[in-house]
Amino acid sequence: MKEIAVTEIGPVRIGQAEDKAAATGCTVLICEEGMRAGLDVRGGGPASRESQLLNPLMAMQKIHAIVLAGGSAYGLGAADGVMAYLEEHGIGYDTGFARVPLVAQADLYDLSVGNPAIRPDAAMGYEAAKRAMEAPNYRDGNYGAGCGASVGKIAGMETAMKTGIGSYAVQLGEVKIGAVVALNALGDIYDWKTGRQVAGLLNGERTALRSTMDYMKQSTRVTENKFTGNTTLAFVITNAFFDKTQLCKIAGMAHDGYARSIHPVHTSADGDSIYAVSVGSVRADQDLVGALSAEVVSEAILRAVFHAEGACGLPSAGDLSRIIPALG
């Protein structure tokens, strides 16, 4: 098994657009020919669009784009811009009267990081789609849907850390599988191989990490509002052939990657969602691909931690490593 770039799993294109000053953005995955896709939502607070298209009971078997974005529910308008770009270029489902691009979207909450009045909109979605098709620009770090991402927010933004978007992909024989994760969790982040905490809740001086679970255990009182900025989003891509039902199962298995790396995870204040996409014809075992999906998701989470840069007053793991060498 060897590592490859997530952009080597074709025929898909990934584009990103962001507003660095406002700390928000969107990431768009496009397949002109259409892609089979499944979805599994485990968090209690999702902001999403066209999710029911990916229900195995629905008639449509392929979609044309997936959007991951910031802005919470306000950012769902980014898909309008993606649809506009795809329509202009003749990409979509032919209804006989018009080509209708099928675009699914999920958003994370980043309104507490930058400017809450500025969110991804149709113009930003259009630009991300244009970049995907004309000059694919995917990068790990403070880009796209990861521009305003952060973690460790149980005690408020004063002790949170900056994260971003990350990717990881592998090839095993003919099979390629990769993940892109916009890491924006309530909880802490751990290296899934060593169990070492690498990001999350900071102490009051912001000089060391502490445990979100330990913080929560200090009191059994009900916290009425944990929505200080959460939801981790991902899409898994493979060139192996699976139908929509199988992809929903693979997306569910991919959530094990979240569970290995984020603690606590799938809370009522997170809208944790994973899309699984099939864009090839290679025959592969569904359970093997599902298990590998969890692994590439966990590795992509680490990339989202270590490629992020401090922003909006939030330190990154890179910033903290200068204080805590063990994090380097």
Side-chain angles (χ1 to χ4, degrees):
M1 190 165 66
K2 65 177 182 179
E3 181 181 350
I4 60 173
V6 72
T7 51
E8 293 180 46
I9 308 173
V12 294
R13 297 171 180 270
I14 306 174
Q16 301 192 114
E18 59 279 320
D19 184 325
K20 286 290 187 78
T24 196
C26 62
T27 300
V28 178
L29 173 74
I30 295 175
C31 183
E32 294 179 68
E33 304 165 5
M35 50 192 167
R36 296 171 295 278
L39 170 66
D40 192 290
V41 180
R42 299 287 176 93
S48 57
R49 172 172 171 160
E50 294 283 34
S51 297
Q52 277 300 309
L53 275 180
L54 308 183
N55 184 325
L57 297 178
M58 300 299 109
M60 197 59 57
Q61 295 302 306
K62 292 184 177 181
I63 62 174
H64 301 96
I66 293 173
V67 182
L68 307 182
S72 189
Y74 291 109
L76 292 172
D80 292 338
V82 177
M83 288 188 70
Y85 180 88
L86 296 180
E87 181 184 24
E88 287 176 8
H89 292 79
I91 299 170
Y93 177 73
D94 189 357
T95 66
F97 298 92
R99 283 194 173 271
V100 181
L102 302 178
V103 180
Q105 180 172 350
D107 286 0
L108 55 82
Y109 188 111
D110 56 9
L111 304 180
S112 54
V113 175
N115 186 340
I118 298 177
R119 308 104 179 200
D121 56 12
M124 184 181 285
Y126 186 97
E127 182 62 26
K130 181 179 180 180
R131 292 176 183 177
M133 294 300 295
E134 300 176 20
N137 67 335
Y138 177 79
R139 292 178 65 184
D140 293 342
N142 297 25
Y143 301 100
C147 188
S150 57
V151 296
K153 290 163 279 192
I154 190 67
M157 298 308 295
E158 296 79 10
T159 49
M161 284 182 64
K162 186 72 183 72
T163 50
I165 197 167
S167 64
Y168 187 77
V170 296
Q171 181 171 353
L172 179 62
E174 291 184 282
V175 177
K176 298 177 180 179
I177 182 166
V180 171
V181 179
L183 178 61
N184 191 63
L186 175 74
D188 303 321
I189 311 304
Y190 294 83
D191 185 325
W192 69 289
K193 291 179 179 177
T194 66
R196 177 174 62 100
Q197 186 177 352
V198 295
L201 180 63
L202 296 170
N203 64 9
E205 297 74 32
R206 305 210 300 180
T207 58
L209 292 168
R210 53 179 166 158
S211 165
T212 291
M213 280 300 294
D214 287 348
Y215 180 91
M216 294 174 71
K217 289 174 184 176
Q218 291 174 9
S219 174
T220 58
R221 71 183 185 280
V222 176
T223 303
E224 296 295 342
N225 185 6
K226 300 187 186 79
F227 288 87
T228 52
N230 310 301
T231 295
T232 297
L233 306 173
F235 51 75
V236 171
I237 314 168
T238 181
N239 67 342
F241 183 93
F242 297 109
D243 61 28
K244 188 160 54 171
T245 300
Q246 293 171 309
L247 288 164
C248 285
K249 178 59 178 175
I250 289 170
M253 294 180 72
H255 271 282
D256 290 348
Y258 280 8
R260 290 170 184 163
S261 303
I262 305 169
H263 189 61
V265 70
H266 302 148
T267 74
S268 63
D270 290 281
D272 299 333
S273 304
I274 298 181
Y275 296 90
V277 171
S278 169
V279 293
S281 58
V282 176
R283 295 292 175 179
D285 182 79
Q286 174 184 331
D287 295 320
L288 171 62
V289 171
L292 287 175
S293 295
E295 292 190 5
V296 295
V297 163
S298 285
E299 287 293 331
I301 286 172
L302 290 179
R303 301 293 174 91
V305 168
F306 291 112
H307 283 79
E309 299 176 355
C312 300
L314 300 181
S316 67
D319 298 327
L320 213 60
S321 67
R322 289 186 279 275
I323 302 171
I324 312 171
L327 286 180

